[in-house]
Each structure stands twice: as C-alpha cells, then as structure tokens.
Amino acid sequence: MANYILKRLLLMIPTLFGVMLITFAVTQFVPGGPVEQLVHQLQRGATEGGESASMVQGVYRGAQGLDEARLNEIRALYGFDRPAWERFVEMMGNYLRFDFGESYFRHQSVMDLIVSKLPVSISLGLWTFFLTYLISIPLGIAKAVRDGSPFDVATSTLVLVGYAIPGFVLGIALLVLFGGGSFWSVFPLRGLVSDNWAELSWPARILDYLWHMVLPITASVVGSFAVMTLLTKNSFLEEIRKQYVLTARAKGLSENRVLYGHVFRNALIPLVTGFPAAFIGAFFTGSLLIETIFSLDGLGLLSYESVLMRDYPVVLGSLYIFTLMGLVAKLLSDISYVLVDPRIQFGSLER
C-alpha cells in the first residue's frame, strides 16, 4: 500500500504541472487580457467626468489614449514585461508555497478571496451532498426490494422528471411560487442570512440560515437524486440475484438479515468509493446560475467574474487548488476501494 500511495503522490506532480502549464499557455493567447482591461477602465473613467476623470488625470489623454511609456508601466505592473516561461516558473514556485498572489482588480489576496466565498459554496455543496446520500440510498434500496411495483415506477418517474429539469429553471420557478413573486411570499429572495442576523440569538440565527437555504438547496439537490438513486437500485439488484443471497435465504435467514447483513456492504461499494471525491468536492462546489438567481456570492460567481475580467491570479490560483484537491480525492477513492472490499489489491489498481 505504501508503495502504491507513494507512486500516486509522485504522479500528481506532473499531472498538476501539466494542467497549470496548459492553462497558463491558453491565457497568453486569450484576447482582452489584464492590460487591455485596465486600459478600458481608464478610458471609461476618463469619459465619465467628475471624480473619475480627476483620478485618471495624467494617465489617460483623451482621444490620444495611452502613450507607449504608460502602457509599458502597466505591463510591468502585471509582470507582462518578462518572458512567459519566467513568469510561469515564478508562479509555480509561489504556488508550491500556497502563495497565489493578489487579484489584479479586487486588490485582495487570492487566498482571502477564496476563503471569503467558501461559506456560500460550502453551504450549497455540503447540504446537496448530505441530502443526496441520505435520501437517494434508502430510496434506491426500497426501489430494489420493490422492483417493478407501482412504487418503483412512480418514484422512478419523479426522480427522472427532477433530473430533466435544469436547476436554474427550478430555482426561478421556486422564486416565483414561494419567493414573493406572483404567488406566496414564504422564503427570502436573496442572501445567505438576513440583514439583522448578527442581532439574533443563536437559535434564531440557525433558523434564519436554514430559512434562506431552503430554495437554493432544493434547486440544487433535486437534479442529483436520479443518478444516485438508480445507481443504488441497480447495485442492490445485481447483488440480490447472486448465488450467496440464494444460499443465505435457503438457510432460513430473515429478509432483513439477508439484505442488511450480506447484500448491503457489497452493494454500497460503488457508492462508498465515490464518497471522498464527492465530500471534498462539496467544499468547492460553485453553481453559477444558482448563486446568481438567489444572489449568493460564492466560488461559482467568483470564477465566472474572474474569467470575464481576465483576473488571472484568481483563475490560476483557484484552478491549482481545485486540481490538487481533485487528485487527492481520486487517491482517497482508490484507497477506499481496498478498505471496503479486501478482495481488491493495490497491484490490480495500477493496471
């Protein structure tokens, strides 16, 4: 096991390096980079007049634009006066120390930005993760036991309809119905907590937070039920039809003893092995459309705005963290295979 883990850890280095190298190379050719973005802001500020014009006085010269010297200063400000390979080597050296630099346009460190957005993404991700597992697994087991029954058909129809409805469409419908749109004003329209949240008692804070989470979590989680539920059902059906189940029943064991004492562990192997990746991914789950609809300022919105603004430190820094966590999650998934099913050996995982 130790040798396998060491090999996987060593393989993470070229994988992570390759992902960052490709992304960095792409950013060098994308039009409208940080320099162009800043020049556009200066031009817009100069034409707005008043305080904005005075702030850019001596930098932007009206119809003449920016002179070459000033453009060179801006390029030097972002480090674009140096060769690309030199900037990439310096960037990776800093990333190894988890120093992601500062945002070009938000004037805040990348790590502080990511941390400030995590509460929203963690709330969406973890609630979606736990509700999906807590509902889909028991439902999948019940469907497997009642395979072909009216209950199985009805629940399959419901989860597939939920899967077919895009999350943002469901979110809009929930806002219209329950967010004070055309029908009932039951839940708040926006935000993670109320404006007076700090003044509330702790029980009231918890209730206020849960009250705000009902609609966005519902919009996020409904589409996740189908895959997990049907995977659980099919996994249990496959195990129920095996010879050892027939043998256990022939010995006179009760149906619950057969189901939960023998079938349960084997059937959950494909679900449990995906648990580490899903759990770690929950901390960095960002749904742009859900966050936009419900005015939640999370990682999804941050990533989208950073790409539009060509805020490369935020784009590359967040990509580095997400890629590293994804590689670790994949390793934990492989390890969980062996812990759950002793028949699997690490040598077989390498092939």
Side-chain angles (χ1 to χ4, degrees), residues 39-264:
V39 170
H40 175 70
Q41 290 181 12
L42 293 175
Q43 292 173 346
R44 185 178 58 184
T47 57
E48 287 176 352
E51 182 180 355
S52 297
S54 63
M55 290 174 62
V56 298
Q57 185 177 8
V59 178
Y60 179 69
R61 302 182 301 160
Q64 300 179 18
L66 294 173
D67 57 30
E68 189 63 28
R70 188 66 66 180
L71 285 174
N72 290 333
E73 290 181 11
I74 296 176
R75 294 190 184 99
L77 174 66
Y78 294 132
F80 288 104
D81 58 328
R82 295 179 295 158
W85 68 267
E86 183 179 329
R87 288 184 281 117
F88 178 75
V89 171
E90 181 182 359
M91 181 190 76
M92 292 304 298
N94 292 332
Y95 282 11
L96 290 176
R97 303 191 301 271
F98 290 93
D99 177 11
F100 303 109
E102 291 192 358
S103 167
Y104 285 157
F105 304 105
R106 293 180 174 86
H107 308 293
Q108 189 178 356
S109 72
V110 174
M111 183 60 74
D112 290 343
L113 273 173
I114 293 176
V115 171
S116 67
K117 309 299 183 183
L118 273 179
V120 171
S121 295
I122 288 177
S123 295
L124 288 173
L126 286 184
W127 279 114
T128 301
F129 169 80
F130 283 119
L131 288 176
T132 299
Y133 269 80
L134 290 176
I135 295 175
S136 296
I137 292 179
L139 180 59
I141 296 174
K143 286 172 63 62
V145 174
R146 300 171 178 84
D147 183 37
S149 67
F151 170 82
D152 180 35
V153 175
T155 52
S156 295
T157 302
L158 288 176
V159 297
L160 290 176
V161 169
Y163 180 76
I165 300 176
F168 70 93
V169 174
L170 180 59
I172 295 174
L174 291 174
L175 281 179
V176 172
L177 289 173
F178 304 107
S182 303
F183 296 91
W184 304 282
S185 180
V186 180
F187 298 101
L189 288 173
R190 60 179 60 88
L192 199 62
V193 293
S194 299
D195 294 335
N196 64 336
W197 188 79
E199 304 171 3
L200 301 176
S201 62
W202 278 109
R205 290 183 181 183
I206 295 174
L207 291 176
D208 181 76
Y209 164 76
L210 295 176
W211 182 48
H212 280 75
M213 281 286 97
V214 170
L215 294 187
I217 292 302
T218 302
S220 300
V221 77
V222 168
S224 305
F225 286 148
V227 174
M228 186 63 64
T229 300
L230 296 180
L231 179 62
T232 303
K233 174 190 173 181
N234 294 333
S235 180
F236 268 79
L237 282 177
E238 182 180 356
E239 292 296 324
I240 288 174
R241 294 164 180 165
K242 289 185 177 180
Q243 184 63 42
Y244 74 90
V245 176
L246 298 176
T247 303
R249 287 172 175 168
K251 291 181 177 179
L253 296 180
S254 65
E255 192 64 25
N256 286 337
R257 180 70 181 276
V258 173
L259 184 63
Y260 295 103
H262 297 273
V263 176
F264 189 79

Side-chain angles (χ1 to χ4, degrees), residues 10 38 199 205-206 262 289 311 346:
L10 292 176
L38 181 57
E199 304 171 3
R205 290 183 181 183
I206 295 174
H262 297 273
L289 295 175
D311 198 346
F346 274 106

